[in-house]
PDB file of all heavy atoms in Angstrom:
ATOM      1  N   ASN A 336     113.739 107.797  93.574  1.00 88.00           N
ATOM      2  CA  ASN A 336     114.707 107.463  94.584  1.00 88.00           C
ATOM      3  C   ASN A 336     114.065 106.872  95.842  1.00 88.00           C
ATOM      4  O   ASN A 336     114.598 105.959  96.460  1.00 88.00           O
ATOM      5  CB  ASN A 336     115.531 108.703  94.987  1.00 88.00           C
ATOM      6  CG  ASN A 336     116.479 109.128  93.872  1.00 88.00           C
ATOM      7  OD1 ASN A 336     117.209 108.327  93.326  1.00 88.00           O
ATOM      8  ND2 ASN A 336     116.465 110.403  93.524  1.00 88.00           N
ATOM      9  N   ILE A 337     112.904 107.421  96.248  1.00 87.00           N
ATOM     10  CA  ILE A 337     112.240 106.936  97.452  1.00 87.00           C
ATOM     11  C   ILE A 337     111.610 105.581  97.220  1.00 87.00           C
ATOM     12  O   ILE A 337     111.640 104.710  98.077  1.00 87.00           O
ATOM     13  CB  ILE A 337     111.174 107.951  97.910  1.00 87.00           C
ATOM     14  CG1 ILE A 337     111.844 109.278  98.302  1.00 87.00           C
ATOM     15  CG2 ILE A 337     110.374 107.400  99.060  1.00 87.00           C
ATOM     16  CD1 ILE A 337     112.752 109.214  99.470  1.00 87.00           C
ATOM     17  N   GLN A 338     110.984 105.391  96.044  1.00 85.00           N
ATOM     18  CA  GLN A 338     110.353 104.113  95.672  1.00 85.00           C
ATOM     19  C   GLN A 338     109.348 103.662  96.725  1.00 85.00           C
ATOM     20  O   GLN A 338     109.353 102.495  97.147  1.00 85.00           O
ATOM     21  CB  GLN A 338     111.410 103.040  95.408  1.00 85.00           C
ATOM     22  CG  GLN A 338     112.334 103.399  94.251  1.00 85.00           C
ATOM     23  CD  GLN A 338     113.379 102.362  93.966  1.00 85.00           C
ATOM     24  OE1 GLN A 338     113.538 101.417  94.704  1.00 85.00           O
ATOM     25  NE2 GLN A 338     114.112 102.514  92.877  1.00 85.00           N
ATOM     26  N   ALA A 339     108.494 104.561  97.151  1.00 88.00           N
ATOM     27  CA  ALA A 339     107.433 104.206  98.069  1.00 88.00           C
ATOM     28  C   ALA A 339     106.333 103.444  97.344  1.00 88.00           C
ATOM     29  O   ALA A 339     105.773 103.953  96.384  1.00 88.00           O
ATOM     30  CB  ALA A 339     106.885 105.469  98.740  1.00 88.00           C
ATOM     31  N   SER A 340     106.022 102.271  97.792  1.00 88.00           N
ATOM     32  CA  SER A 340     105.076 101.398  97.043  1.00 88.00           C
ATOM     33  C   SER A 340     103.680 101.977  96.999  1.00 88.00           C
ATOM     34  O   SER A 340     102.936 101.734  96.030  1.00 88.00           O
ATOM     35  CB  SER A 340     105.041 100.017  97.646  1.00 88.00           C
ATOM     36  OG  SER A 340     104.675 100.073  99.029  1.00 88.00           O
ATOM     37  N   LEU A 341     103.256 102.749  98.028  1.00 90.00           N
ATOM     38  CA  LEU A 341     101.927 103.297  98.038  1.00 90.00           C
ATOM     39  C   LEU A 341     101.853 104.757  97.591  1.00 90.00           C
ATOM     40  O   LEU A 341     100.774 105.332  97.463  1.00 90.00           O
ATOM     41  CB  LEU A 341     101.309 103.195  99.453  1.00 90.00           C
ATOM     42  CG  LEU A 341     101.147 101.780 100.013  1.00 90.00           C
ATOM     43  CD1 LEU A 341     100.467 101.853 101.377  1.00 90.00           C
ATOM     44  CD2 LEU A 341     100.324 100.908  99.075  1.00 90.00           C
ATOM     45  N   GLY A 342     103.007 105.377  97.394  1.00 89.00           N
ATOM     46  CA  GLY A 342     103.030 106.785  97.000  1.00 89.00           C
ATOM     47  C   GLY A 342     103.665 107.653  98.088  1.00 89.00           C
ATOM     48  O   GLY A 342     104.045 107.164  99.175  1.00 89.00           O
ATOM     49  N   GLN A 343     103.813 108.928  97.817  1.00 93.00           N
ATOM     50  CA  GLN A 343     104.468 109.839  98.740  1.00 93.00           C
ATOM     51  C   GLN A 343     103.918 111.251  98.623  1.00 93.00           C
ATOM     52  O   GLN A 343     103.318 111.617  97.592  1.00 93.00           O
ATOM     53  CB  GLN A 343     105.966 109.879  98.489  1.00 93.00           C
ATOM     54  CG  GLN A 343     106.342 110.548  97.170  1.00 93.00           C
ATOM     55  CD  GLN A 343     107.840 110.640  96.967  1.00 93.00           C
ATOM     56  OE1 GLN A 343     108.425 109.822  96.315  1.00 93.00           O
ATOM     57  NE2 GLN A 343     108.430 111.666  97.519  1.00 93.00           N
ATOM     58  N   THR A 344     104.101 112.021  99.681  1.00 94.00           N
ATOM     59  CA  THR A 344     103.722 113.443  99.674  1.00 94.00           C
ATOM     60  C   THR A 344     104.916 114.266 100.089  1.00 94.00           C
ATOM     61  O   THR A 344     105.593 113.965 101.093  1.00 94.00           O
ATOM     62  CB  THR A 344     102.570 113.711 100.671  1.00 94.00           C
ATOM     63  OG1 THR A 344     101.396 113.035 100.221  1.00 94.00           O
ATOM     64  CG2 THR A 344     102.276 115.200 100.786  1.00 94.00           C
ATOM     65  N   LEU A 345     105.200 115.305  99.346  1.00 95.00           N
ATOM     66  CA  LEU A 345     106.209 116.306  99.735  1.00 95.00           C
ATOM     67  C   LEU A 345     105.429 117.530 100.224  1.00 95.00           C
ATOM     68  O   LEU A 345     104.549 118.045  99.520  1.00 95.00           O
ATOM     69  CB  LEU A 345     107.109 116.685  98.565  1.00 95.00           C
ATOM     70  CG  LEU A 345     108.067 115.614  98.033  1.00 95.00           C
ATOM     71  CD1 LEU A 345     108.870 116.208  96.872  1.00 95.00           C
ATOM     72  CD2 LEU A 345     108.979 115.141  99.119  1.00 95.00           C
ATOM     73  N   LEU A 346     105.759 118.002 101.393  1.00 95.00           N
ATOM     74  CA  LEU A 346     105.088 119.171 101.970  1.00 95.00           C
ATOM     75  C   LEU A 346     106.120 120.234 102.292  1.00 95.00           C
ATOM     76  O   LEU A 346     107.119 119.971 102.975  1.00 95.00           O
ATOM     77  CB  LEU A 346     104.321 118.785 103.230  1.00 95.00           C
ATOM     78  CG  LEU A 346     103.407 119.872 103.837  1.00 95.00           C
ATOM     79  CD1 LEU A 346     102.231 119.215 104.569  1.00 95.00           C
ATOM     80  CD2 LEU A 346     104.161 120.804 104.792  1.00 95.00           C
ATOM     81  N   ILE A 347     105.896 121.441 101.780  1.00 95.00           N
ATOM     82  CA  ILE A 347     106.766 122.586 102.065  1.00 95.00           C
ATOM     83  C   ILE A 347     105.960 123.600 102.850  1.00 95.00           C
ATOM     84  O   ILE A 347     104.836 123.969 102.493  1.00 95.00           O
ATOM     85  CB  ILE A 347     107.276 123.237 100.769  1.00 95.00           C
ATOM     86  CG1 ILE A 347     108.222 122.285 100.028  1.00 95.00           C
ATOM     87  CG2 ILE A 347     107.997 124.528 101.071  1.00 95.00           C
ATOM     88  CD1 ILE A 347     108.831 122.890  98.808  1.00 95.00           C
ATOM     89  N   TYR A 348     106.575 124.107 103.942  1.00 95.00           N
ATOM     90  CA  TYR A 348     105.969 125.183 104.704  1.00 95.00           C
ATOM     91  C   TYR A 348     106.906 126.387 104.694  1.00 95.00           C
ATOM     92  O   TYR A 348     108.112 126.241 104.925  1.00 95.00           O
ATOM     93  CB  TYR A 348     105.684 124.744 106.152  1.00 95.00           C
ATOM     94  CG  TYR A 348     105.260 125.892 107.055  1.00 95.00           C
ATOM     95  CD1 TYR A 348     103.975 126.420 106.986  1.00 95.00           C
ATOM     96  CD2 TYR A 348     106.181 126.487 107.924  1.00 95.00           C
ATOM     97  CE1 TYR A 348     103.572 127.468 107.784  1.00 95.00           C
ATOM     98  CE2 TYR A 348     105.795 127.556 108.743  1.00 95.00           C
ATOM     99  CZ  TYR A 348     104.478 128.040 108.680  1.00 95.00           C
ATOM    100  OH  TYR A 348     104.113 129.087 109.449  1.00 95.00           O
ATOM    101  N   GLY A 349     106.342 127.579 104.438  1.00 93.00           N
ATOM    102  CA  GLY A 349     107.148 128.789 104.465  1.00 93.00           C
ATOM    103  C   GLY A 349     106.349 129.978 104.915  1.00 93.00           C
ATOM    104  O   GLY A 349     105.113 130.004 104.811  1.00 93.00           O
ATOM    105  N   GLU A 350     107.046 130.946 105.443  1.00 93.00           N
ATOM    106  CA  GLU A 350     106.414 132.192 105.909  1.00 93.00           C
ATOM    107  C   GLU A 350     106.908 133.369 105.046  1.00 93.00           C
ATOM    108  O   GLU A 350     108.116 133.497 104.808  1.00 93.00           O
ATOM    109  CB  GLU A 350     106.720 132.438 107.394  1.00 93.00           C
ATOM    110  CG  GLU A 350     106.155 131.346 108.286  1.00 93.00           C
ATOM    111  CD  GLU A 350     106.547 131.523 109.744  1.00 93.00           C
ATOM    112  OE1 GLU A 350     107.301 132.497 110.052  1.00 93.00           O
ATOM    113  OE2 GLU A 350     106.077 130.727 110.581  1.00 93.00           O
ATOM    114  N   VAL A 351     105.973 134.181 104.558  1.00 93.00           N
ATOM    115  CA  VAL A 351     106.296 135.289 103.669  1.00 93.00           C
ATOM    116  C   VAL A 351     105.578 136.552 104.106  1.00 93.00           C
ATOM    117  O   VAL A 351     104.706 136.498 104.980  1.00 93.00           O
ATOM    118  CB  VAL A 351     105.926 134.961 102.198  1.00 93.00           C
ATOM    119  CG1 VAL A 351     106.662 133.725 101.708  1.00 93.00           C
ATOM    120  CG2 VAL A 351     104.411 134.744 102.072  1.00 93.00           C
ATOM    121  N   GLU A 352     105.919 137.661 103.493  1.00 93.00           N
ATOM    122  CA  GLU A 352     105.256 138.923 103.757  1.00 93.00           C
ATOM    123  C   GLU A 352     103.853 138.917 103.124  1.00 93.00           C
ATOM    124  O   GLU A 352     103.642 138.240 102.141  1.00 93.00           O
ATOM    125  CB  GLU A 352     106.089 140.072 103.197  1.00 93.00           C
ATOM    126  CG  GLU A 352     107.424 140.274 103.843  1.00 93.00           C
ATOM    127  CD  GLU A 352     107.333 140.669 105.323  1.00 93.00           C
ATOM    128  OE1 GLU A 352     106.353 141.350 105.682  1.00 93.00           O
ATOM    129  OE2 GLU A 352     108.191 140.269 106.103  1.00 93.00           O
ATOM    130  N   PRO A 353     102.920 139.696 103.675  1.00 93.00           N
ATOM    131  CA  PRO A 353     101.575 139.742 103.119  1.00 93.00           C
ATOM    132  C   PRO A 353     101.517 140.183 101.662  1.00 93.00           C
ATOM    133  O   PRO A 353     100.575 139.852 100.932  1.00 93.00           O
ATOM    134  CB  PRO A 353     100.846 140.762 104.016  1.00 93.00           C
ATOM    135  CG  PRO A 353     101.610 140.737 105.303  1.00 93.00           C
ATOM    136  CD  PRO A 353     103.023 140.475 104.915  1.00 93.00           C
ATOM    137  N   SER A 354     102.534 140.930 101.232  1.00 93.00           N
ATOM    138  CA  SER A 354     102.534 141.413  99.848  1.00 93.00           C
ATOM    139  C   SER A 354     103.018 140.387  98.824  1.00 93.00           C
ATOM    140  O   SER A 354     102.939 140.594  97.601  1.00 93.00           O
ATOM    141  CB  SER A 354     103.441 142.660  99.746  1.00 93.00           C
ATOM    142  OG  SER A 354     104.751 142.340 100.173  1.00 93.00           O
ATOM    143  N   GLU A 355     103.500 139.246  99.295  1.00 92.00           N
ATOM    144  CA  GLU A 355     104.029 138.221  98.411  1.00 92.00           C
ATOM    145  C   GLU A 355     102.920 137.626  97.524  1.00 92.00           C
ATOM    146  O   GLU A 355     101.809 137.374  97.981  1.00 92.00           O
ATOM    147  CB  GLU A 355     104.651 137.079  99.212  1.00 92.00           C
ATOM    148  CG  GLU A 355     105.291 135.981  98.404  1.00 92.00           C
ATOM    149  CD  GLU A 355     106.636 136.374  97.840  1.00 92.00           C
ATOM    150  OE1 GLU A 355     107.390 137.082  98.511  1.00 92.00           O
ATOM    151  OE2 GLU A 355     106.922 135.956  96.699  1.00 92.00           O
ATOM    152  N   ASN A 356     103.268 137.422  96.239  1.00 95.00           N
ATOM    153  CA  ASN A 356     102.344 136.755  95.330  1.00 95.00           C
ATOM    154  C   ASN A 356     102.463 135.242  95.567  1.00 95.00           C
ATOM    155  O   ASN A 356     103.325 134.577  95.001  1.00 95.00           O
ATOM    156  CB  ASN A 356     102.668 137.092  93.886  1.00 95.00           C
ATOM    157  CG  ASN A 356     101.637 136.574  92.898  1.00 95.00           C
ATOM    158  OD1 ASN A 356     101.026 135.529  93.135  1.00 95.00           O
ATOM    159  ND2 ASN A 356     101.426 137.282  91.801  1.00 95.00           N
ATOM    160  N   CYS A 357     101.596 134.726  96.390  1.00 95.00           N
ATOM    161  CA  CYS A 357     101.724 133.339  96.831  1.00 95.00           C
ATOM    162  C   CYS A 357     101.394 132.329  95.737  1.00 95.00           C
ATOM    163  O   CYS A 357     101.941 131.229  95.702  1.00 95.00           O
ATOM    164  CB  CYS A 357     100.817 133.091  98.035  1.00 95.00           C
ATOM    165  SG  CYS A 357     101.284 134.041  99.507  1.00 95.00           S
ATOM    166  N   ASP A 358     100.526 132.723  94.794  1.00 94.00           N
ATOM    167  CA  ASP A 358     100.210 131.835  93.670  1.00 94.00           C
ATOM    168  C   ASP A 358     101.459 131.533  92.835  1.00 94.00           C
ATOM    169  O   ASP A 358     101.761 130.350  92.537  1.00 94.00           O
ATOM    170  CB  ASP A 358      99.135 132.457  92.749  1.00 94.00           C
ATOM    171  CG  ASP A 358      97.739 132.262  93.336  1.00 94.00           C
ATOM    172  OD1 ASP A 358      97.590 132.345  94.575  1.00 94.00           O
ATOM    173  OD2 ASP A 358      96.795 132.067  92.557  1.00 94.00           O
ATOM    174  N   LYS A 359     102.165 132.589  92.498  1.00 95.00           N
ATOM    175  CA  LYS A 359     103.395 132.407  91.686  1.00 95.00           C
ATOM    176  C   LYS A 359     104.477 131.712  92.475  1.00 95.00           C
ATOM    177  O   LYS A 359     105.216 130.890  91.954  1.00 95.00           O
ATOM    178  CB  LYS A 359     103.878 133.776  91.201  1.00 95.00           C
ATOM    179  CG  LYS A 359     103.022 134.390  90.103  1.00 95.00           C
ATOM    180  CD  LYS A 359     103.660 135.635  89.536  1.00 95.00           C
ATOM    181  CE  LYS A 359     102.826 136.196  88.369  1.00 95.00           C
ATOM    182  NZ  LYS A 359     103.455 137.423  87.784  1.00 95.00           N
ATOM    183  N   LEU A 360     104.576 132.038  93.773  1.00 95.00           N
ATOM    184  CA  LEU A 360     105.583 131.389  94.610  1.00 95.00           C
ATOM    185  C   LEU A 360     105.341 129.895  94.681  1.00 95.00           C
ATOM    186  O   LEU A 360     106.273 129.077  94.585  1.00 95.00           O
ATOM    187  CB  LEU A 360     105.588 132.032  96.005  1.00 95.00           C
ATOM    188  CG  LEU A 360     106.556 131.404  97.004  1.00 95.00           C
ATOM    189  CD1 LEU A 360     107.987 131.512  96.508  1.00 95.00           C
ATOM    190  CD2 LEU A 360     106.400 132.048  98.382  1.00 95.00           C
TER     191      LEU A 360
END
Side-chain angles (χ1 to χ4, degrees):
N336 291 311
I337 297 296
Q338 297 181 351
S340 57
L341 298 183
Q343 69 176 97
T344 294
L345 292 181
L346 188 152
I347 293 183
Y348 171 76
E350 297 177 357
V351 299
E352 296 295 328
S354 58
E355 182 77 36
N356 187 328
C357 296
D358 280 38
K359 287 188 177 181
L360 177 60

